[in-house]
Amino acid sequence: MSEESIDTNTVELATELTIAWLSNPNTRASGEDVPAFLKKMHEAVSGLSSQAETTTAPEAASDYVPAVSVRKSLASKDFIISMIDGKPYKTLRRHLAGQGLTPAEYRQRYGLKPDYPMVAENYSEARRAMAKKIGLGRKPGMKRKTSEGNGQPAARGRRKAAAADE
C-alpha cells in the first residue's frame, strides 16, 4: 500500500471511531472536546498500524525454534511435550488451537513427519479400551458378548423378564 492510502485509511478509521464515540448516549462532550479526541484517535490508529507493520515482517522471516527436540517430545508414554512451549500435554489439539495452529501447520512449522502423534500413547490406549468396553466401533449386525457362555446374547430389559418366566 502507498503511504497516502494508509494515511487516508487511518483518518477515515479515526473519524469513524470518533463518530461512534459521539453517538453513544452516555458520552457527554462539548464542542471543544471533539477535535482533541479526533486527534488522539488518529494518533492511536496510526501508531497501531505502524506497530502492526513492524511486528509482522520479522515474524514471517524468522524460523521457529522448537523448545525441545523431537526425540524428547516423545520420550514419555504418558504425555507429549509441546515444541512451542516445552510443557507436557496428554493431547496437543486444544493447545494448538489456543496458539492458532492446526496439527498439520504444527507439523509443518517444526518439520515433523505426517505420522507424528498428537496424543500421548497411554492416553490413546485408555480411550481405545473405554470405547471398546462400551461397544463403539462394532458393526450393527455383530453379536454382543454372551452372559452365561451358552452361546446366546445376554438378555436385556423386558426380554429378560420374559425369558425368566419360560
Side-chain angles (χ1 to χ4, degrees):
M1 267 193 219
S2 68
E3 184 68 33
E4 186 177 310
S5 66
I6 291 173
D7 191 39
T8 304
N9 290 342
T10 57
V11 170
E12 289 174 4
L13 186 56
T15 306
E16 288 179 27
L17 289 170
T18 304
I19 291 169
W21 177 67
L22 289 171
S23 64
N24 185 347
N26 296 327
T27 303
R28 302 209 191 307
S30 64
E32 297 112 24
D33 294 343
V34 175
F37 185 79
L38 180 60
K39 184 177 180 182
K40 260 191 201 174
M41 292 309 306
H42 182 266
E43 289 171 359
V45 169
S46 60
L48 287 173
S49 66
S50 65
Q51 191 177 37
E53 289 173 10
T54 58
T55 58
T56 56
E59 186 177 332
S62 70
D63 213 5
Y64 294 99
V65 179
V68 294
S69 68
V70 176
R71 174 178 248 149
K72 188 172 181 181
S73 72
L74 299 174
S76 174
K77 291 186 176 193
D78 293 329
F79 51 82
I80 293 179
I81 298 177
S82 168
M83 299 180 101
I84 297 172
D85 59 6
K87 294 181 182 176
Y89 297 94
K90 286 186 178 184
T91 176
L92 289 176
R93 185 172 298 272
R94 187 175 290 164
H95 170 61
L96 295 179
Q99 301 291 326
L101 292 171
T102 64
E105 291 169 344
Y106 177 75
R107 288 180 179 119
Q108 183 181 16
R109 177 185 278 188
Y110 294 108
L112 304 170
K113 293 181 180 177
D115 63 344
Y116 180 86
M118 292 288 129
V119 179
E121 190 175 337
N122 287 350
Y123 183 69
S124 178
E125 287 300 319
R127 295 286 303 257
R128 181 176 181 261
M130 183 180 14
K132 284 181 108 177
K133 182 179 177 183
I134 64 173
L136 294 178
R138 203 179 58 239
K139 295 195 175 157
M142 293 178 67
K143 291 184 179 180
R144 299 191 131 190
K145 290 184 179 180
T146 60
S147 63
E148 299 157 7
N150 60 3
Q152 298 205 351
R156 295 180 60 185
R158 293 184 192 168
R159 288 188 207 166
K160 189 174 188 178
D165 292 340
E166 291 177 2

